[in-house]
Amino acid sequence: MTDNFNAELEGRLIRYCKIDSQSDADNPSSPSTEIQLDMQRLLVEELTAIGAEDVTLTAYGAVLAILPSTDGNSGPTLGLLAHVDTAPQFNASGVKPVV
């Protein structure tokens, strides 16, 4: 099981790294580029597929979701936050991750 989990995790990370999500420092809107939403749309799909509830992509490009308890108990609330765009100083297209 661990090998399958690790392989899935690795594949997911590589897939994420290939997504061009470059921001535009000269654009005052949020998100600053339309392509930044590509990563968020993928996250919405994947969160929905794993059973997250109330999955939402906001107008400003944040993904919100509730992950219900898997053991039936009400545990502490957990928040996850990630920055998904690529800074304009670095290449964001044609990335070929190497593990």
Side-chain angles (χ1 to χ4, degrees):
M1 181 172 141
T2 301
D3 289 341
N4 289 339
F5 179 78
N6 290 341
E8 181 182 342
L9 212 55
E10 182 179 304
R12 192 178 299 255
L13 178 62
I14 289 170
R15 189 169 63 249
Y16 294 163
C17 290
K18 290 180 179 180
I19 297 172
D20 184 349
S21 59
Q22 197 161 42
S23 60
D24 179 359
D26 296 326
N27 186 346
S29 68
S30 183
S32 61
T33 62
E34 181 64 25
I35 62 171
Q36 286 175 273
L37 294 173
D38 293 344
M39 179 63 148
Q40 283 88 336
R41 288 182 190 113
L42 175 62
L43 292 174
V44 166
E45 288 177 25
E46 292 186 350
L47 284 165
T48 302
I50 66 168
E53 299 171 352
D54 298 327
V55 183
T56 305
L57 173 56
T58 69
Y60 52 89
V63 176
L64 309 172
I66 296 172
L67 295 172
S69 171
T70 57
D71 68 0
N73 296 318
S74 59
T77 300
L78 175 67
L80 303 173
L81 176 65
H83 197 262
V84 299
D85 68 322
T86 305
Q89 295 83 357
F90 298 96
N91 182 31
S93 61
V95 173
K96 295 178 180 140
V98 176
V99 177

